[in-house]
Amino acid sequence: MSTLLSATDIVVRHNDRTLLNGATLTIGDRDRVGMVGRNGSGKSTLLRIMAGLQQPDSGEVTRRRDLLIGYLSQEFSLDATINVEQNVRSGTRHIQELIHEFERLSPTSGRHDVLEERIRALDGWNLDSRIAAAMAHLNCPDGDRSIRELSGGEQRRVALCRAIVARPDLLVLDEPTNHLDTESIEWVVEYLADYPGAFVLVTHDRYFLDQLTNCIAELANGIIHSYTGNYSDYLAAWAEREAAEEVIEHKRQMFLKRELDWVRRGPKARTTKSKGRIDRYYEVAEQQTVSPTGDMELVVPPPPPIGNRVVDLCGVGIELGGKRLFANLNFTFTARQRVGVTGRNGLGKTTLLKIILGLLPPAEGLVKTGQLTRFNYVDQGRLQVNEEHTLLEAVSDGTEFVLFGETRLSLRSYLKRFLFTDDRIVTQVKHLSGGERSRLTLARILKNGGNFLILDEPTNDLDLQTLRVLEEALLDFPGTVLVVSHDRYFLDRVCTDILSFEGEGQVTHFAGDYSGYAENRKLRQAAAAKFKPAAPVKAEPIRKTSSSRARKLSFKETRELEGMEATIMTREEKVAEIETLFLDADFHRKHGQRTGDLMAELAADKAEIVRLYARWEELEAIRSGTGPD
């Protein structure tokens, strides 16, 4: 394996903070590196340095000669003077230049073979089809649309598409899954799994890390700890490292305690041996220790009492801009229910939240809200914050305490539970990282209480530790939770139910987590594709001559025709029963061993229904005198 890039002893200071303090990372030509660490720890800064867009205060970055790097930042920019497709194509300018040069060369040129090999390595001959496929799978806006018309999420998909179609030697991606729906994320996973180059990425999507990475680089206290393997391997190794450091620190503290007791006893004879013991004490006492990583204790205020009725959706439907998003949606929310809403962007997920909140009237149906239901809504846009305010001022709203049932918690204590230290609490908002802003926003909103918590994409920009603690807080929340998210790991950990927007106005309810829903959907799709009844082939009508005599039904055929409707109905009921089994959230536990038999039985019943309908038409034709003699 050859080295593409090496960053050695990187130091970066920002104001009074040292973000990177000797960070070192080497990337080989087949490495798939996932970078993790708390928000504000310097991950994005290190990515910018690797991409050559920022210089460190000290340290060295060495890149392979002619190394091509593709970079997607959190604060990306697009050219507003050109359309969507032109922006995507701008990422492949180096490939287009190679093709243009190749086409102008004489076939006898010595550079001809070199260019052809380079274009082939970059898959340049399939450039148009690759761009079209990437734009389609990432659900990019139409290619001729103006960048100025796009939302922030749409622009991010265009920027990601521009980065990956370039096929650089090294892809550097900062939060590539933000604002992508689940299907788009799955396509990106498949794309990167077969990527011929190397990549390093920062993401909060733990399934993404687990499926793609072969190395995890943890950035903590300004330095990098590297772990071989994917995210699951990292978690196991990290736990072992933490345990070992705790043992070392415990032994150090015990040594200091013993030596301090000895020093305080003041031995009369200060021998050379005792002086050495004192020197050893000070040497150990001055040793640098690893700062504890610490965990955020996310505080969701205890909700007020919730009634038997929380929210009932009764035949709810809506149409926006001439497009029907969904119709006849029936659902009952209950206490301690945590419902995950998922599906492609633009199908109506956020619209549903607004209908539940009463911010948007449904076109049809009713929303019945319980008298004791109190909403607390965290939207995608979050809350606007005065950039000049400190964190304390941003959260206070003129008060110094947060109400917790009948108790009060000081704002400083409250903010510390969101992992803000004393010096950060008095820092101006404009100096916060993106992740710190998200934590601040959650702190501002969650203190408002409520017994029905509605979160729209809460996982965007949160680091992995904060995500884990948010999940724990929601699991302990005694009220009702409704959350829109494309984070599969988050949905698996938190949700008791899934409402999935599957397109064409269809919203499916599944009792269980996201993995259970995804497996169930695959079974439904497989059954629909494999056992879809073929349309019966209609026989050519027989032309009768004047001498033809119309055949009548026999007694047996007449009885068969009379019972045909009931026979078909019985078969259709049997098919419905089997399909209902496949939709059961506990299907695998209850019927997993019978899957093959049930699938075969379902196929046979559907085939029999097709035959029965054909026979019914045949007998009806004979009875009416239009059938064969």
Side-chain angles (χ1 to χ4, degrees):
M1 181 181 70
S2 62
T3 298
L4 297 181
L5 181 147
S6 180
T8 308
D9 294 328
I10 302 299
V11 175
V12 174
R13 299 178 183 87
H14 183 66
N15 295 330
D16 296 331
R17 298 177 62 205
T18 301
L19 276 180
L20 304 174
N21 192 17
T24 297
L25 181 65
T26 299
I27 300 176
D29 57 5
R30 292 295 296 169
D31 280 346
R32 281 98 164 79
V33 181
M35 189 173 293
V36 301
R38 293 199 184 281
N39 284 327
S41 62
K43 301 188 300 296
S44 295
T45 299
L46 184 56
L47 294 192
R48 284 196 298 271
I49 290 172
M50 292 167 58
L53 301 177
Q54 180 176 336
Q55 294 300 315
D57 294 326
S58 64
E60 184 179 9
V61 179
T62 304
R63 301 175 182 86
R64 192 189 70 186
R65 190 163 59 91
D66 297 330
L67 177 67
L68 186 64
I69 298 177
Y71 175 53
L72 174 70
S73 70
Q74 291 193 49
E75 299 82 23
F76 60 87
S77 61
L78 297 173
D79 188 345
T81 65
I82 56 179
N83 64 24
V84 167
E85 183 176 352
Q86 289 168 334
N87 266 279
V88 172
R89 284 188 175 277
S90 69
T92 64
R93 189 172 291 115
H94 60 291
I95 301 177
Q96 296 176 54
E97 290 173 353
L98 289 173
I99 293 175
H100 183 61
E101 183 183 354
F102 178 84
E103 290 174 341
R104 289 185 304 164
L105 277 179
S106 166
T108 59
S109 170
R111 186 164 165 72
H112 186 278
D113 292 342
V114 175
L115 283 175
E116 186 174 24
E117 179 60 31
R118 182 60 175 157
I119 294 169
R120 185 182 296 110
L122 292 169
D123 197 21
W125 303 123
N126 299 315
L127 184 59
D128 290 342
S129 59
R130 285 200 295 110
I131 289 175
M135 290 181 65
H137 285 101
L138 290 175
N139 197 23
C140 285
D142 291 340
D144 58 358
R145 285 186 62 186
S146 168
I147 296 298
R148 295 185 179 92
E149 301 174 1
L150 307 184
S151 66
E154 288 174 323
Q155 290 191 32
R156 185 162 189 83
R157 291 197 292 276
V158 174
L160 175 60
C161 192
R162 179 181 63 182
I164 65 177
V165 297
R167 291 178 73 94
D169 305 309
L170 173 61
L171 263 175
V172 179
L173 305 174
D174 198 350
E175 295 291 359
T177 62
N178 275 4
H179 304 292
L180 294 186
D181 56 49
T182 307
E183 292 182 9
S184 295
I185 292 173
E186 289 173 353
W187 181 83
V188 175
V189 168
E190 292 177 4
Y191 180 89
L192 291 180
D194 295 328
Y195 192 70
F199 57 78
V200 55
L201 54 89
V202 172
T203 180
H204 63 268
D205 189 318
R206 288 154 287 186
Y207 280 139
F208 200 84
L209 287 171
D210 230 18
Q211 292 174 301
L212 288 175
T213 57
N214 58 22
C215 174
I216 298 293
E218 180 195 26
L219 184 54
N221 302 301
I223 61 175
I224 290 176
H225 301 276
S226 293
Y227 300 84
T228 301
N230 62 8
Y231 183 70
S232 295
D233 298 324
Y234 153 72
L235 286 180
W238 177 84
E240 292 178 4
R241 194 197 85 197
E242 287 286 297
E245 288 179 352
E246 285 180 9
V247 170
I248 293 171
E249 179 60 15
H250 177 70
K251 289 181 178 179
R252 192 179 81 95
Q253 293 296 335
M254 291 300 294
F255 169 82
L256 292 175
K257 184 177 182 300
R258 289 195 305 268
E259 296 304 291
L260 185 60
D261 289 343
W262 179 82
V263 169
R264 284 172 175 168
R265 286 199 301 270
K268 296 178 181 179
R270 295 295 185 182
T271 63
T272 302
K273 186 175 181 180
S274 64
K275 184 177 183 302
R277 189 167 179 177
I278 294 172
D279 292 341
R280 172 64 177 155
Y281 165 80
Y282 286 115
E283 180 185 330
V284 173
E286 291 172 1
Q287 284 178 355
Q288 272 195 331
T289 60
V290 177
S291 302
T293 54
D295 269 333
M296 178 176 70
E297 185 182 347
L298 186 59
V299 180
V300 180
I306 196 166
N308 291 328
R309 168 176 284 172
V310 180
V311 172
D312 293 342
L313 304 179
C314 307
V316 171
I318 192 160
E319 183 176 302
L320 291 178
K323 177 184 178 183
R324 178 167 291 277
L325 296 181
F326 52 88
N328 197 31
L329 176 58
N330 297 284
F331 194 79
T332 299
F333 291 94
T334 60
R336 286 196 171 277
Q337 189 178 37
R338 298 180 298 276
V339 182
V341 182
T342 187
R344 294 198 313 274
N345 293 324
L347 295 182
K349 301 186 296 298
T350 299
T351 300
L352 174 62
L353 303 192
K354 292 181 178 179
I355 290 175
I356 292 172
L357 289 162
L359 302 176
L360 188 67
E364 58 191 38
L366 294 173
V367 178
K368 300 178 181 178
T369 304
Q371 291 184 346
L372 298 179
T373 301
R374 300 291 180 267
F375 295 111
N376 191 351
Y377 178 41
V378 182
D379 68 357
Q380 284 190 42
R382 310 293 173 90
L383 296 176
Q384 297 299 316
V385 184
N386 188 325
E387 296 287 310
E388 301 301 321
H389 280 176
T390 65
L391 274 70
L392 200 61
E393 292 168 335
V395 173
S396 69
D397 295 326
T399 64
E400 296 182 2
F401 298 93
V402 175
L403 291 178
F404 266 69
E406 299 179 355
T407 62
R408 296 193 304 177
L409 186 68
S410 73
L411 287 176
R412 282 184 175 271
S413 297
Y414 178 68
L415 284 170
K416 284 181 179 178
R417 298 192 183 199
F418 285 82
L419 281 187
F420 290 116
T421 58
D422 285 323
D423 63 316
R424 299 304 278 173
I425 287 173
V426 294
T427 298
Q428 290 176 307
V429 172
K430 63 184 180 183
H431 295 308
L432 300 182
S433 69
E436 287 175 319
R437 285 172 179 265
S438 294
R439 276 189 273 146
L440 172 63
T441 304
L442 284 173
R444 293 183 69 201
I445 297 176
L446 293 178
K447 74 184 182 72
N448 295 331
N451 51 28
F452 194 145
L453 190 58
I454 298 182
L455 308 174
D456 196 355
E457 295 288 2
T459 63
N460 283 351
D461 301 319
L462 296 183
D463 57 43
L464 297 178
Q465 291 92 333
T466 307
L467 271 175
R468 185 182 70 247
V469 182
L470 174 59
E471 290 162 356
E472 295 295 336
L474 294 179
L475 288 171
D476 291 337
F477 185 62
T480 302
V481 177
L482 179 63
V483 55
V484 174
S485 179
H486 300 302
D487 188 323
R488 298 158 291 177
Y489 197 104
F490 182 86
L491 293 172
D492 275 350
R493 282 212 67 197
V494 169
C495 294
T496 60
D497 297 80
I498 298 293
L499 280 177
S500 177
F501 285 68
E502 296 186 342
E504 299 181 359
Q506 182 178 354
V507 181
T508 299
H509 169 232
F510 178 82
D513 59 18
Y514 180 81
S515 290
Y517 158 74
E519 185 64 28
N520 177 269
R521 187 183 185 191
K522 285 181 181 178
L523 283 173
R524 287 187 284 120
Q525 290 174 335
K530 189 173 183 180
F531 304 119
K532 184 177 180 180
V537 178
K538 292 186 177 180
E540 288 290 329
I542 296 179
R543 298 176 182 177
K544 296 185 176 295
T545 64
S546 56
S547 60
S548 298
R549 292 182 302 170
R551 184 172 82 80
K552 294 182 179 181
L553 291 173
S554 67
F555 175 77
K556 183 178 179 182
E557 289 172 332
T558 301
R559 295 294 301 271
E560 182 184 2
L561 179 60
E562 289 173 352
M564 188 64 72
E565 186 173 358
T567 303
I568 290 175
M569 188 176 297
T570 300
R571 285 284 183 174
E572 288 180 338
E573 287 174 354
K574 191 176 178 184
V575 166
E577 288 176 4
I578 297 175
E579 289 179 337
T580 300
L581 287 179
F582 282 120
L583 293 174
D584 188 351
D586 292 331
F587 173 82
H588 287 290
R589 182 175 62 82
K590 295 178 181 177
H591 313 289
Q593 295 180 342
R594 298 177 56 210
T595 300
D597 293 339
L598 287 170
M599 297 279 267
E601 191 176 343
L602 182 65
D605 286 332
K606 287 190 173 185
E608 178 63 8
I609 289 172
V610 172
R611 188 195 71 78
L612 287 170
Y613 271 112
R615 177 61 174 164
W616 193 3
E617 287 186 7
E618 179 186 353
L619 294 175
E620 278 289 354
I622 295 173
R623 186 185 64 79
S624 63
T626 60
D629 291 342

